[in-house]
Amino acid sequence: MKKAVGFMEFKSIPVGIEATDEMLKSGNVELLMASPLCPGKYVSIIAGDVGAVEASIKNGEHIGGIYVLEAYVIPNIHDDVLPAMLGAGEIGDVKSLGIVETINAISSILVADICAKAANVELIEIRIARGLGGKGFVLITGEISSVKSAIQTAKNEMAESNLITSYSVIASPHKDIRKIIF
């Protein structure tokens, strides 16, 4: 089985911690991140084999109950997603800039994965909820046509869930914009 990553967002910090503990105890998974986020949310991210991650997420949903806001499993996450979440990705020239804002924290991870798989783009950053009132956003770069294509694919795939709140594409961003991004 391929490596999978599971994400859960809770509207309760204590319940989020309890559910994360159960997720880790219930399967052979690795904790990638668990942290409170504003406004009073908690996010947990785990990795492992697909079956183990799916079982752990189900256990987390059971414990979290009504406090679970979102839960996702990405069976074959793009290699650039996790470094972009940690700000560890190396980005060369920023030819154009795509920005996608999401209504909640972990949906930005889904959008980033979709964009990275849809077109020849680089993920600059995935920001989840810190200082964003519970929202998330993704920054991508590449040729303008690739950035537009990636964002259009994400919009199409996320249309039913209505999780993308806004987006922009900037051709040849000004040098001062590049400074604030990096």
Side-chain angles (χ1 to χ4, degrees):
M1 293 296 249
K2 295 178 180 174
K3 281 285 196 179
V5 177
F7 309 87
M8 291 195 73
E9 185 173 349
F10 304 89
K11 61 181 175 181
S12 165
I13 294 168
V15 174
I17 293 170
E18 178 185 8
T20 301
D21 180 67
E22 183 58 35
M23 288 164 46
L24 295 171
K25 289 177 179 173
S26 68
N28 186 19
V29 295
E30 174 188 358
L31 182 65
L32 298 179
M33 180 189 142
S35 178
L37 302 172
C38 65
K41 294 181 178 181
Y42 196 82
V43 171
S44 299
I45 303 172
I46 59 170
D49 290 335
V50 174
V53 170
E54 287 174 343
S56 290
I57 291 292
K58 282 186 183 183
N59 286 335
E61 287 177 309
H62 176 73
I63 296 297
I66 63 170
Y67 296 100
V68 176
L69 292 171
E70 299 283 338
Y72 297 105
V73 174
I74 301 176
N76 186 20
I77 197 161
H78 192 279
D79 290 339
D80 295 344
V81 172
L82 296 177
M85 284 177 50
L86 303 172
E90 291 186 30
I91 302 301
D93 187 28
V94 178
K95 297 173 183 170
S96 65
L97 179 63
I99 310 113
V100 181
E101 182 181 76
T102 60
I103 198 160
N104 61 25
I106 62 176
S107 57
S108 62
I109 301 165
L110 293 171
V111 167
D113 186 61
I114 292 166
C115 287
K117 290 175 179 173
N120 186 20
V121 296
E122 294 179 77
L123 300 177
I124 297 172
E125 181 181 5
I126 303 167
R127 178 86 52 91
I128 55 173
R130 293 181 193 264
L132 302 173
K135 292 183 176 184
F137 70 85
V138 179
L139 299 173
I140 64 174
T141 189
E143 297 293 336
I144 189 83
S145 59
S146 295
V147 170
K148 286 180 178 180
S149 176
I151 290 174
Q152 187 60 52
T153 301
K155 285 175 37 187
N156 292 345
E157 289 192 30
M158 303 293 280
E160 190 174 311
S161 62
N162 215 21
L163 294 173
I164 294 177
T165 58
S166 64
Y167 65 93
S168 290
V169 177
I170 303 169
S172 301
H174 189 276
K175 64 180 174 64
D176 290 344
I177 295 295
R178 291 179 187 162
K179 286 180 190 176
I180 63 169
I181 291 171
F182 297 108

